[in-house]
Amino acid sequence: MFESIAKGIVLSILVLCAGPVHSSDEDSDLDAIPQELIDADRSKPEENNDPAKYSIRIKADDLFEYTSWRDPNDLIVSVPDYDKSDWNNLARIGVRGEFSPASSLNIHADALLNIYLYDDEAFKSAKDIQFNVKELYLSWSATPSSFVDLGRINIKNGVAAGFNPTDYFKTNAVISRNTQDISQLRDNRLGTFAVRAQKLWDSGGISVVAAPDMGNELGRWYSDESIYGLNMQKTNDRSRLMIKFSQRIIGNFSPELIYYNESGDNNFGVNLSHSINDNLIVYSEWNVGERRSLLDEALFGLRQSQQIRPELLANFPQDEGKKYQHQLAIGATYTTVSNITTNLEYHYNQAGLSDEDWRNWFRTGETAQGDPWAMGQLLSVRALAQARVEPANKHSLFLRSQWQNALITNLNLAGLFLMDLEDQSSLVQAETAYNLNSQSSVSLRVAKFIGGKQSNYGSLFTDLTAILQYNYNF
């Protein structure tokens, strides 16, 4: 499979790097260009007359998290030994750098050192210290508007804020989940080892990405070896090909069309964004792809190995197999004159659990009391949704509002609300951040999960989390 992909990408690179030059762009990452700005002017990159140039940015932060847990006796689906650390602390040091050995070559690096402490267990360096190479890739400017990247790249897609159906490289990539705001997690994840070729012109661009399957074996230098493993088994456990095309049609309207293939499964995605005026932007993000439902995908390996517990087989008797399933995020963002930005979105995940699936899920939990294996298999459905960074349910309402320089200068406020439209359970997150000076800031983030015992958010182990964070930029 990947041999044919590799041949295709080589041919694509040759095609993209040939031809006349229509425009140029110093920041050539097509993945990071918002749709409403795809047609913005692109200035000519500065000449690099020095033999080599480099830049380094260092950031440190510390996150102290307190968690209020629900009583296991109040939960229908639970396991007796789940992690109940009342507090934990995460200290991080991040280094980002760029090195230009020649005018057409750049090396990009982004690494993060994580140190964890938990209140209920002793510190163990092999487990509690992690050094993550988030990005490390070589970028070659074949022409002022043609680029080729090779290495570990954090490939981002999607115009929505709360759920990104076309963000295909997010699965298993998040390093630490210390916020419920999906947009903040996009920068806190491992990149994928891939080759990417891009071609830009005045009114659009095309990008081709190919990523190899490096297997999921552990203990290799490129997988999870001790503190410094690259964890490639998380980001490159399947072969992938993506072709993304964007073209301005009229005004600032530039649709983005995507074809994505994952180990033979086809996906087709669209990103649309349009500025109504200076304050209002409407957008939608859609994908249809071959896949199993979350429920069937989580239980697939257990069915194949005949290790699925009888309690689950009674309520989930058969695998419906792969079929084309739709995902959608549609919404708008509005910015007021007082600098308050609000996003309102509707999310649809056809692969998520339906009302009937949830009823069967809780019914299975009631009949599986005292069977931790069955409980663990039930909880694997929820774990898979989190790993894929997608809703476990089908229909959701998302609202997020941010206020820069609220009330006083340097004070920023943010709030997030996410509701399961089928059972009306929800999560609420509030955050306040204050810039102490040009280099440091402090923030407090509180999240609360609300709902009944037989609801999506009301059945989570966590009742409330509070995170105090300090940031310092060197």
Side-chain angles (χ1 to χ4, degrees):
M1 171 64 186
F2 186 71
E3 291 182 358
S4 60
I5 291 177
K7 293 177 181 177
I9 191 63
V10 170
L11 179 60
S12 300
I13 291 172
L14 294 175
V15 173
L16 290 173
C17 293
V21 176
H22 298 287
S23 67
S24 57
D25 184 10
E26 181 178 1
D27 294 320
S28 62
D29 191 350
L30 184 61
D31 301 300
I33 300 176
Q35 289 304 294
E36 66 272 15
L37 299 179
I38 192 69
D39 59 340
D41 292 337
R42 297 178 171 92
S43 59
K44 184 177 180 180
E46 297 178 2
E47 295 292 333
N48 187 350
N49 297 318
D50 296 341
K53 288 184 178 181
Y54 70 92
S55 65
I56 296 177
R57 287 170 288 175
I58 302 175
K59 176 182 178 180
D61 64 358
D62 188 87
L63 299 90
F64 179 85
E65 179 175 6
Y66 167 77
T67 303
S68 173
W69 302 93
R70 289 193 169 98
D71 187 337
N73 296 321
D74 293 335
L75 297 172
I76 296 174
V77 180
S78 179
V79 289
D81 57 346
Y82 72 81
D83 181 13
K84 289 189 65 175
S85 296
D86 291 333
W87 65 262
N88 67 79
N89 193 85
L90 170 59
R92 303 185 296 190
I93 299 177
V95 179
R96 299 184 65 180
E98 293 188 10
F99 174 63
S100 301
S103 60
S104 61
L105 290 177
N106 285 280
I107 299 173
H108 305 261
D110 189 354
L112 184 68
L113 176 66
N114 295 327
I115 303 175
Y116 297 89
L117 292 175
Y118 301 93
D119 73 325
D120 62 341
E121 60 183 61
F123 177 78
K124 297 179 182 179
S125 60
K127 179 178 71 69
D128 297 327
I129 298 179
Q130 297 177 6
F131 180 74
N132 296 294
V133 179
K134 297 165 61 179
E135 288 192 296
L136 181 60
Y137 64 93
L138 175 68
S139 182
W140 172 48
S141 302
T143 72
S145 61
S146 303
F147 311 89
V148 178
D149 303 321
L150 175 65
R152 177 165 237 176
I153 313 167
N154 186 1
I155 303 164
K156 308 171 191 175
N157 290 317
V159 296
F163 172 43
N164 296 111
T166 65
D167 196 10
Y168 301 111
F169 295 84
K170 62 190 176 185
T171 302
N172 290 322
V174 175
I175 298 173
S176 56
R177 195 181 185 103
N178 47 54
T179 178
Q180 302 304 317
D181 191 340
I182 300 302
S183 64
Q184 295 180 13
L185 296 178
R186 284 161 67 105
D187 292 322
N188 186 28
R189 68 189 193 191
L190 298 170
T192 301
F193 182 80
V195 57
R196 175 175 62 188
Q198 299 178 84
K199 176 74 174 182
L200 304 179
W201 52 87
D202 287 336
S203 56
I206 186 170
S207 174
V208 180
V209 177
D213 180 356
M214 301 180 69
N216 54 11
E217 295 183 38
L218 304 180
R220 303 292 184 96
W221 67 269
Y222 55 81
S223 60
D224 69 335
E225 186 177 11
S226 188
I227 295 171
Y228 48 84
L230 295 177
N231 280 309
M232 289 292 188
Q233 84 283 356
K234 291 184 177 181
T235 60
N236 286 82
D237 61 343
R238 65 204 75 183
S239 60
R240 289 179 280 191
L241 171 69
M242 182 181 73
I243 303 173
K244 183 166 61 172
F245 174 81
S246 180
Q247 176 64 47
R248 185 178 68 225
I249 296 178
I250 185 172
N252 61 3
F253 182 58
S254 303
E256 182 180 78
L257 308 178
I258 307 174
Y259 170 74
Y260 173 74
N261 186 288
E262 183 176 288
S263 297
D265 296 331
N266 297 303
N267 288 260
F268 303 91
V270 177
N271 281 288
L272 303 175
S273 178
H274 182 64
S275 298
I276 304 299
N277 52 45
D278 292 339
N279 304 100
L280 179 63
I281 298 174
V282 295
Y283 53 85
S284 65
E285 182 175 347
W286 167 81
N287 178 72
V288 59
E290 295 177 280
R291 58 171 291 184
R292 284 180 167 81
S293 68
L294 278 174
L295 189 62
D296 287 339
E297 185 178 345
L299 302 181
F300 179 72
L302 297 169
R303 294 181 190 275
Q304 294 293 100
S305 61
Q306 297 184 341
Q307 294 180 351
I308 188 169
R309 304 298 289 177
E311 298 94 334
L312 276 77
L313 275 177
N315 289 307
F316 308 110
Q318 62 183 11
D319 186 337
E320 296 183 357
K322 291 182 180 181
K323 59 184 178 181
Y324 279 98
Q325 311 233 30
H326 295 265
Q327 293 180 319
L328 173 69
I330 184 169
T333 178
Y334 184 80
T335 302
T336 68
V337 292
S338 56
N339 210 21
I340 300 176
T341 301
T342 300
N343 294 81
L344 177 64
E345 298 177 358
Y346 164 73
H347 301 159
Y348 174 64
N349 182 17
Q350 187 178 355
L353 276 69
S354 65
D355 266 348
E356 182 181 359
D357 291 332
W358 280 116
R359 285 193 294 270
N360 289 334
W361 195 78
F362 287 113
R363 185 182 301 118
T364 304
E366 290 173 340
T367 61
Q369 295 296 319
D371 186 347
W373 290 102
M375 291 294 190
Q377 291 177 3
L378 274 177
L379 291 168
S380 69
V381 180
R382 183 164 266 161
L384 177 62
Q386 187 174 77
R388 294 182 67 103
V389 198
E390 67 182 38
N393 56 305
K394 286 187 179 293
H395 304 277
S396 302
L397 177 70
F398 172 84
L399 176 67
R400 185 184 67 184
S401 190
Q402 302 175 87
W403 189 3
Q404 301 292 319
N405 293 316
L407 304 176
I408 60 174
T409 304
N410 295 329
L411 177 66
N412 302 319
L413 303 177
L416 182 149
F417 175 75
L418 185 59
M419 174 183 281
D420 184 325
L421 291 175
E422 294 177 282
D423 63 20
Q424 284 74 58
S425 64
S426 61
L427 75 84
V428 180
Q429 178 175 285
E431 181 175 359
T432 179
Y434 183 72
N435 297 321
L436 300 173
N437 51 51
S438 60
Q439 291 181 287
S440 62
S441 64
V442 63
S443 64
L444 176 64
R445 185 183 308 121
V446 179
K448 171 70 174 176
F449 301 87
I450 304 167
K453 291 174 61 175
Q454 295 196 27
S455 69
N456 182 7
Y457 293 106
S459 61
L460 293 170
F461 294 168
T462 306
D463 177 56
L464 178 145
T465 64
I467 299 176
L468 181 64
Q469 182 174 358
Y470 174 77
N471 299 281
Y472 186 83
N473 296 298
F474 292 88

